[in-house]
Amino acid sequence: MKATALAHPNIALIKYWGKRDKLLFLPQNGSISLTLDGMWTKTTIEFSNAHKIDSLTINNEPSELTDHQVNHLDKIRELGGTTAHAKIASETNFPVGAGLASSASGLAALTAAATKALGLELTEKELSILTRQGSGSASRSICEGFAEWHRGEKDDGTDSFAETIAPKDYWPGMRLIATIVSEEKKKISSRAGHEQTVATCPYYGGWLATIKDDLTAMRTAIKEKDFTLLGETAEFNCLKMHATMITTKPSIMYWEPASVEIMHAIQQWREEGLESYFTIDAGPQVKVLCMEKDVEEIEKKLQALLGVKRTIVCKPGDGVSYSEEHLF
Ligand code: PMV
């Protein structure tokens, strides 16, 4: 009862921010993302009565499973008809918990590996729905390329799932440069951020009111391969989300001075004719959207900025996959 799965983080171009059901991880709004090939999480899981406890290592270091992760495993165990404990090993090639969507690739790889280990044969939609209950944004990492996570209407969440809207080879010139400005774990989890924003931000209704138009614009941008529309829509959507975070009580500010430095630089370079756009999640790292032809120049300019520790260039990536090369 052992299986290994590989998943990539995804970066939202239209963000998911705020839950309408905390237990089922149902979002207040739909979102659209790009799955990235440059970063990955590989997870092996084995269920066995020989294991006395559930255990987890991340990059060979023992790590505590959170109550939420154990609940998620219990849900999968119930579906698989077992009570056996799990041994889990996970490897990742990028900083965990620092706003690079590690929870997305982590929970997607874990859910895929666990269901496979227990012999559950789920469709992509079923796997996305199950993964969503481990981490909302992880529901999109099941899918390749551009994915849309539907908000859904039902209380039981059966219509809230992600699906690929354009596969990874659809727009081969598309690039995302992740700039790492800090490798430290963020102080406020996205879970706390979602809750606090919905509960206390006076502008949250304004955020929700603009989502429909943003989703429509993003679908059009992808359909027509209109990079300017994609970038402008993503950047503005990101700023709107951060505006709601900043105006919660107490204020949540994920940006570091270096994040702001990069945002200014990108807007300046754009005025000078070098086209790129930024997007930022619940952390300080800035993700830069650009086209392949400009990657070299933009990466060089980014690396010259004081606050940039390193950069990772990503292309549109694969959805979840399985491997026979287990980690133990
Ligand atoms: O799924 P969570 O709880 O990690 O929340 C993700 C929130 C953002 O990254 C800020 C936006 C998104 O859609 O990924």
Side-chain angles (χ1 to χ4, degrees):
M1 297 219 282
K2 188 193 272 191
T4 297
L6 207 89
H8 300 277
N10 70 81
I11 295 299
L13 303 174
I14 304 299
K15 310 291 186 190
Y16 142 59
W17 196 240
K19 297 186 179 88
R20 64 179 205 275
D21 183 317
K22 284 181 232 162
L23 289 178
L24 287 175
F25 284 62
L26 295 178
Q28 291 272 3
N29 64 277
S31 53
I32 293 179
S33 62
L34 180 64
T35 300
L36 306 174
D37 80 334
M39 298 183 266
W40 49 261
T41 301
K42 183 176 182 180
T43 298
T44 298
I45 186 165
E46 181 184 58
F47 291 97
S48 164
N49 289 325
H51 301 315
K52 295 294 165 232
I53 51 164
D54 290 325
S55 68
L56 167 68
T57 58
I58 299 178
N59 294 334
N60 293 318
E61 296 286 331
S63 179
E64 282 284 309
L65 277 157
T66 63
D67 289 348
H68 174 66
Q69 285 165 337
V70 174
N71 288 342
H72 189 58
L73 278 175
D74 284 342
K75 202 171 281 174
I76 299 170
R77 276 190 273 252
E78 198 181 322
L79 286 173
T82 181
T83 52
H85 284 114
K87 176 177 172 181
I88 308 162
S90 202
E91 274 181 10
T92 171
N93 71 336
F94 62 99
V96 172
L100 276 176
S102 56
S103 71
S105 56
L107 262 297
L110 177 68
T111 310
T115 50
K116 178 146 199 281
L118 294 179
L120 293 165
E121 288 189 8
L122 303 184
T123 62
E124 187 179 275
K125 178 176 167 182
E126 288 165 340
L127 185 58
S128 175
I129 288 172
L130 185 58
T131 303
R132 188 200 73 221
Q133 296 165 64
S135 154
S137 53
S139 64
R140 299 183 308 236
S141 274
I142 300 301
C143 311
E144 66 169 304
F146 293 94
E148 178 162 0
W149 172 15
H150 304 286
R151 176 192 186 276
E153 296 301 326
K154 295 183 182 168
D155 288 342
D156 67 2
T158 49
D159 58 352
S160 185
F161 62 94
E163 64 180 336
T164 296
I165 55 172
K168 68 165 189 166
D169 297 327
Y170 170 76
W171 196 346
M174 187 76 200
R175 291 291 179 278
L176 182 145
I177 308 175
T179 62
I180 314 293
V181 304
S182 163
E183 311 231 358
E184 274 171 35
K185 286 214 170 174
K186 58 193 175 202
K187 290 177 201 88
I188 306 152
S189 68
S190 54
R191 180 161 332 152
H194 283 285
E195 270 191 58
Q196 198 172 299
T197 308
V198 175
T200 69
C201 174
Y203 306 127
Y204 189 67
W207 158 258
L208 289 180
T210 64
I211 288 291
K212 195 167 169 252
D213 286 350
D214 282 3
L215 288 170
T216 304
M218 189 54 71
R219 285 186 210 112
T220 305
I222 294 167
K223 189 161 174 252
E224 292 173 5
K225 298 187 183 156
D226 181 339
F227 178 61
T228 302
L229 180 61
L230 180 143
E232 283 177 353
T233 308
E235 188 172 294
F236 192 42
N237 180 268
C238 152
L239 288 170
K240 283 186 286 185
M241 176 185 74
H242 282 271
T244 71
M245 298 168 166
I246 291 167
T247 50
T248 61
K249 279 188 179 171
S251 173
I252 301 173
M253 214 179 287
Y254 286 110
W255 300 341
E256 294 289 334
S259 325
V260 180
E261 181 192 13
I262 301 168
M263 289 190 264
H264 279 291
I266 284 168
Q267 291 182 337
Q268 169 75 33
W269 300 336
R270 214 154 62 213
E271 273 173 34
E272 293 164 7
L274 184 60
E275 193 177 13
S276 72
Y277 301 87
F278 61 79
T279 185
I280 308 177
D281 292 306
Q285 330 297 2
V286 182
K287 292 91 180 189
V288 182
L289 295 158
C290 66
M291 297 307 294
E292 185 185 12
K293 66 178 176 54
D294 296 322
V295 163
E296 210 175 308
E297 187 178 354
I298 292 170
E299 199 184 17
K300 211 163 85 200
K301 279 176 172 287
L302 285 168
Q303 284 169 350
L305 297 177
L306 224 58
V308 174
K309 292 192 191 309
R310 63 186 171 111
T311 50
I312 306 171
V313 178
C314 304
K315 297 179 195 164
D318 275 316
V320 84
S321 62
Y322 300 93
S323 166
E324 289 307 315
E325 286 173 27
H326 305 302
L327 293 174
F328 59 88

